Amino acid sequence: MTLSRRQLLAASTAAGASLAVPGVTATAVPNLVRRDRAALPSGIASADVTPNSAVVWSRTDRPGRLVVQLTSHGRFDKAISLRGPKTDPVDDFTARLPLRGLRPGQRYDYRIGFEDANGRIGETLDGSFSTPGRNRPVSFVFTGDTAGQGYGINPDLGGMIAYQAMHDTRPDFFLHSGDNIYADGPIQAELKVADGTVWKNVVTEEVSKVAETLAEYRGRYKYNLMDGNVRSLYADVPLIAQWDDHETLNNWYPGEILSDDRYAEKRVDVLAARAKKAFLEYLPMEHVGGRDRIYRKVGYGPLVDVFCLDMRTYRGANPVPSTVGPVAMLGAEQAAWLVREVAASKATWKVIASDMPLGLLVPDGDLIEAVGNGLPGAPGGREHEIAWVLSQFKKRKVRNAIWLTADVHYAAAHHYDPARAAFTDFDPFWEIVAGPINAGTFGPNALDGTFGPEVVWSKAADFPNQSPAGGNQFFGHTTIDPRTGVFTVSLRNLFGKVLWSKDINPTR
């Protein structure tokens, strides 16, 4: 291996694992499922890959110890074997292992299994990821909104086939901008669509009602991982995951008390704690600043840094549109972190992975769910915080920041310009909206003029809550040229067809 033994020993020590005797052969870890040995019912995944680090993940069906074989040349007979953490029902038999000391610009293949108390390793699965390097192009896909509005795994359609379309682009990583599950959306065997068609679902007990218990939240992730398209993508393409409202329930905010009769537990804080535990168990990430902090930077080399926001955990109660004073969306600590880290970034492009759009009106009944309040004039409510961030970007001469988002269930490209805005203390920027990837399609939403957005392109549903079978499922694809720094972004449909594309030149 091109990795040194010392580097992998550092990786193992950082993860609390010990380095096993190298040279475990492929035949010693048979890819054969036996009932008396640990299985891998939810596949494998890698996440938060940087030039020198990554996280690998899997779940088994019984107590055991995670074992990872890692090689940089596809030869598992020459792999290094790493023994990771033990797992048990407390973590729903999930386990993750951070890898340190990796080489930039290198492809890695990994094999995951779980070892029982007698040293026997059960089912194994193989995956791969590549670390970013200099003078290499970067490509990635982004979207959000999976298994919403009762649209789950449809066997007649081939499952969640938009995941296959993303996989076919061979991206370096996949950014999921929230609503990885719809914990508040029951999935039934059949769903009647407004166009007269019938959508059919695979159904499990955990997804047949709104999620309240920890087991039910976990069951939502297990359900998505039943889909072969999802598992295949996760094995080959590193994940960068955010969360939004539906990982817990629709439009929630801290301190909320529910009136929804479907819920026996009315305290949203209790439900959110269970939801976050399941999220962190099933969506691997590099834990920075504490195990339960979701906002973080993923530095993907010299061309791009990804800044993942958490617009859910620290927000204030959803305000009425006429609210004049500030209402938290990121919270003061996260907003300061964002400005500080983006200003310090040396990457050509600074991707702000936002789980909600900035300039679209997203109502919550008579209240405001997202940033825009739908009113002309100076910032009000949650717009204050975003205005401060944007003005700080300008003050600190941040260049080439682009916002990527989902949430509204249609695709759009927005350009923001102070020449059109009520608030003018910022530099122009782009916001690209993608999704859903396997959920009902809606839109378009009304624009809010505070930050001067213009709809350059959009594609919405043919009718509200259109099923994925209608083809209006959307993901974004980006390629960054290492020679010119050009950020080429496209929006694509269920089958990967390019619907809109734009070359964005970097500002030097």
Side-chain angles (χ1 to χ4, degrees):
M1 288 186 61
T2 51
L3 279 168
S4 71
R5 184 179 178 83
R6 177 176 296 179
Q7 287 172 320
L8 281 179
L9 182 60
S12 178
T13 302
S18 61
L19 191 67
V21 178
V24 177
T25 65
T27 56
V29 189
N31 192 16
L32 178 65
V33 181
R34 292 176 47 170
R35 291 186 178 181
D36 63 336
R37 301 204 181 175
L40 304 177
S42 297
I44 61 175
S46 65
D48 285 15
V49 171
T50 76
N52 305 110
S53 65
V55 179
V56 293
W57 172 95
S58 189
R59 169 181 166 263
T60 186
D61 59 351
R62 66 196 71 192
R65 182 184 290 277
L66 178 68
V67 177
V68 179
Q69 290 180 272
L70 187 67
T71 177
S72 60
H73 45 56
R75 291 281 303 275
F76 283 103
D77 59 334
K78 297 182 181 294
I80 294 294
S81 182
L82 297 170
R83 300 177 71 243
K86 291 182 178 180
T87 189
D88 57 41
V90 172
D91 297 313
D92 206 24
F93 303 115
T94 62
R96 53 185 290 278
L97 181 67
L99 304 174
R100 313 276 190 214
L102 304 180
R103 291 170 60 91
Q106 183 72 57
R107 174 191 164 105
Y108 289 97
D109 298 288
Y110 63 95
R111 175 170 290 161
I112 284 183
F114 284 83
E115 180 184 74
D116 66 18
N118 297 315
R120 299 176 302 177
I121 298 177
E123 179 186 8
T124 63
L125 292 173
D126 295 351
S128 65
F129 61 86
S130 294
T131 55
R134 291 190 176 276
N135 303 318
R136 293 191 178 190
V138 172
S139 71
F140 64 93
V141 291
F142 60 95
T143 190
D145 314 305
T146 300
Q149 289 70 53
Y151 298 112
I153 301 170
N154 186 339
D156 292 346
L157 195 64
M160 299 185 186
I161 61 173
Y163 275 82
Q164 180 61 52
M166 292 192 294
H167 197 176
D168 287 344
T169 69
R170 312 311 303 173
D172 292 311
F173 63 87
F174 166 42
L175 170 63
H176 199 302
S177 295
D179 294 341
N180 295 266
I181 61 169
Y182 274 70
D184 56 332
I187 296 176
Q188 306 297 331
E190 292 188 353
L191 178 65
K192 292 183 179 179
V193 186
D195 62 0
T197 61
V198 175
W199 177 272
K200 296 183 179 180
N201 286 311
V202 174
V203 178
T204 65
E205 182 178 353
E206 290 92 343
V207 304
S208 63
K209 62 177 290 292
V210 296
E212 297 179 83
T213 68
L214 178 57
E216 289 166 347
Y217 283 112
R218 288 166 167 169
R220 291 285 173 162
Y221 295 99
K222 293 176 187 175
Y223 178 83
N224 288 359
L225 291 169
M226 292 170 60
D227 184 87
N229 304 293
V230 175
R231 290 199 311 274
S232 180
L233 176 72
Y234 282 9
D236 285 346
V237 180
L239 175 67
I240 299 178
Q242 297 175 264
W243 81 336
D244 192 31
D245 56 337
H246 291 287
E247 281 83 4
T248 306
L249 57 89
N250 187 47
N251 295 352
W252 73 274
Y253 53 83
E256 183 181 4
I257 303 298
L258 297 178
S259 59
D260 191 331
D261 292 337
R262 298 178 300 170
Y263 290 87
E265 174 56 70
K266 305 295 186 183
R267 295 168 297 173
V268 168
D269 288 354
V270 173
L271 297 172
R274 295 168 184 168
K276 178 175 275 191
K277 178 171 173 57
F279 175 89
L280 294 172
E281 288 171 344
Y282 277 86
L283 293 173
M285 63 183 63
E286 182 64 67
H287 293 302
V288 180
R291 283 186 55 84
D292 63 346
R293 199 184 89 178
I294 292 171
Y295 73 85
R296 66 203 187 280
K297 169 189 168 184
V298 180
Y300 200 80
L303 290 178
V304 61
D305 283 338
V306 181
F307 300 88
C308 298
L309 303 185
D310 177 358
M311 290 180 154
R312 193 57 50 181
T313 304
Y314 312 100
R315 64 166 53 201
N318 289 346
V320 297
S322 58
T323 300
V324 175
V327 177
M329 184 66 158
L330 301 173
E333 183 177 328
Q334 183 181 187
W337 165 87
L338 176 62
V339 168
R340 181 177 65 251
E341 293 296 323
V342 171
S345 172
K346 302 298 183 183
T348 303
W349 289 95
K350 294 82 173 170
V351 166
I352 316 300
S354 174
D355 42 295
M356 302 201 77
L358 303 185
L360 292 177
L361 180 61
V362 183
D364 176 23
D366 295 330
L367 306 177
I368 295 300
E369 160 68 356
V371 176
N373 59 16
L375 300 177
R382 293 193 175 115
E383 294 172 337
H384 283 282
E385 206 170 56
I386 299 303
W388 180 80
V389 169
L390 295 177
S391 66
Q392 287 295 307
F393 281 2
K394 179 181 179 180
K395 178 180 179 180
R396 300 180 186 223
K397 296 181 171 57
V398 170
R399 300 291 180 260
N400 309 322
I402 185 166
W403 294 67
L404 304 182
T405 188
D407 183 68
V408 289
H409 293 240
Y410 70 98
H414 300 149
H415 185 257
Y416 291 75
D417 194 318
R420 295 186 295 265
F423 174 83
T424 61
D425 188 21
F426 68 96
D427 292 323
F429 66 94
W430 285 89
E431 175 187 67
I432 312 299
V433 185
I437 198 63
N438 196 90
T441 313
F442 294 88
N445 290 37
L447 281 179
D448 179 283
T450 300
F451 303 118
E454 176 187 30
V455 179
V456 177
W457 180 89
S458 70
K459 182 72 167 69
D462 298 326
F463 54 88
N465 200 16
Q466 185 176 15
S467 85
N472 285 323
Q473 304 286 287
F474 307 106
F475 68 93
H477 179 276
T478 289
T479 300
I480 307 175
D481 188 317
R483 296 176 298 105
T484 64
V486 172
F487 189 103
T488 300
V489 59
S490 61
L491 288 165
R492 309 187 182 198
N493 70 4
L494 176 72
F495 307 106
K497 179 182 177 182
V498 176
L499 305 176
W500 173 84
S501 181
K502 174 73 176 178
D503 291 340
I504 306 176
N505 292 309
T507 299
R508 301 296 184 181

